[in-house]
Amino acid sequence: GAVVSQHPSWVICKSGTSVKIECRSLDFQATTMFWYRQFPKQSLMLMATSNEGSKATYEQGVEKDKFLINHASLTLSTLTVTSAHPEDSSFYICSARETGGHSPLHFGNGTRLTVT
Amino acid sequence: KQEVTQIPAALSVPEGENLVLNCSFTDSAIYNLQWFRQDPGKGLTSLLLIQSSQREQTSGRLNASLDKSSGRSTLYIAASQPGDSATYLCAVYQGGSEKLVFGKGTKLTVNP
């Protein structure tokens, strides 16, 4: 089946530094990928829609200059948390769907970000 | 604005029991509905996808139903096993959109 690989699975960084998270579709092409954030005991909340070859679309309340998204190829999207602060500590998950059709979304295993 | 609610928030059952997880949504103009499983600290595993024209989907011991008019979906798990212990998430695709709106999930514990 379709596999989405997310890296790293966990990261600890100091306040003020930047962290990059990668999301790869391993055996399919994905024109669109999605980035979610999940706080403890809360729903997954969509942060942004990543479009290959164009700018990402951010959800209301998500700072595009803080959460930089790059979707340079049909199999890779990256999320960079810039100048991270402790309140950015969360579980970040990406998802992707095979291009074309109405196949279900496939999710990565997530990245646990802790900002100290 | 679409809101997805899952009841109960947590459920503990003995092994072998049949159980039902509930999901409700406020806007019936959905495209599809999907049930996921999430293990602690892990990503999501898709369990069942129900298209808006369908009323149910089955996979092994799992059966999911969809009633768009009432804004409800249920996930039925037959003969539960300890390995079924996880958080189960319900999510809806808004009509004309690829965006998923998630519920907070039901944390299931199946006791041996």
Side-chain angles (χ1 to χ4, degrees), chain A residues 7-41:
Chain A
H7 179 80
S9 57
W10 60 271
V11 58
I12 302 173
C13 70
K14 292 186 177 180
S15 187
T17 61
S18 296
V19 175
K20 179 184 286 188
I21 302 170
E22 293 187 348
C23 180
R24 294 180 183 273
S25 55
L26 294 187
D27 49 3
F28 66 97
Q29 293 184 334
T31 308
T32 305
M33 292 185 178
F34 303 89
W35 287 95
Y36 293 82
R37 179 168 54 185
Q38 184 181 34
F39 291 107
K41 298 185 179 180

Side-chain angles (χ1 to χ4, degrees), chain B residues 71-89:
Chain B
R72 295 179 187 276
S73 175
T74 61
L75 178 67
Y76 176 83
I77 302 177
S80 58
Q81 303 171 357
D84 295 330
S85 298
T87 296
Y88 290 81
L89 298 170

Side-chain angles (χ1 to χ4, degrees), chain A residues 32 34 36 38 41-44 46 49 59 91 93 97 102-105 107-110 112, chain B residues 1 4 31-32 34 36 38 41-46 49 51 89 93 98-100 102-104:
Chain A
T32 305
F34 303 89
Y36 293 82
Q38 184 181 34
K41 298 185 179 180
Q42 297 298 313
S43 306
L44 274 77
L46 179 65
T49 302
E59 295 299 302
F91 194 56
I93 307 178
R97 177 188 283 127
H102 301 293
S103 56
L105 281 173
F107 284 77
N109 276 334
R112 171 70 61 190
Chain B
K1 179 184 176 183
V4 179
Y31 186 58
N32 293 332
Q34 195 164 357
F36 296 88
Q38 185 177 30
K42 300 293 185 181
L44 276 63
T45 300
S46 177
L49 171 71
Q51 296 182 11
L89 298 170
Y93 291 84
E98 287 190 303
K99 296 179 182 180
L100 269 177
F102 283 86
K104 291 184 179 181

Side-chain angles (χ1 to χ4, degrees), chain B residues 12-69:
Chain B
S12 182
V13 300
E15 182 176 3
E17 192 162 297
N18 302 325
L19 57 100
V20 175
L21 307 181
N22 298 292
C23 172
S24 62
F25 45 94
T26 55
D27 185 349
S28 62
I30 65 169
Y31 186 58
N32 293 332
L33 183 144
Q34 195 164 357
W35 283 91
F36 296 88
R37 168 185 173 140
Q38 185 177 30
D39 292 289
K42 300 293 185 181
L44 276 63
T45 300
S46 177
L47 297 174
L48 291 165
L49 171 71
I50 309 176
Q51 296 182 11
S52 61
S53 58
Q54 298 175 324
R55 294 192 64 85
E56 67 177 335
Q57 281 286 332
T58 298
S59 176
R61 295 182 292 108
L62 305 179
N63 175 277
S65 67
L66 173 63
D67 184 343
K68 278 184 59 178
S69 60

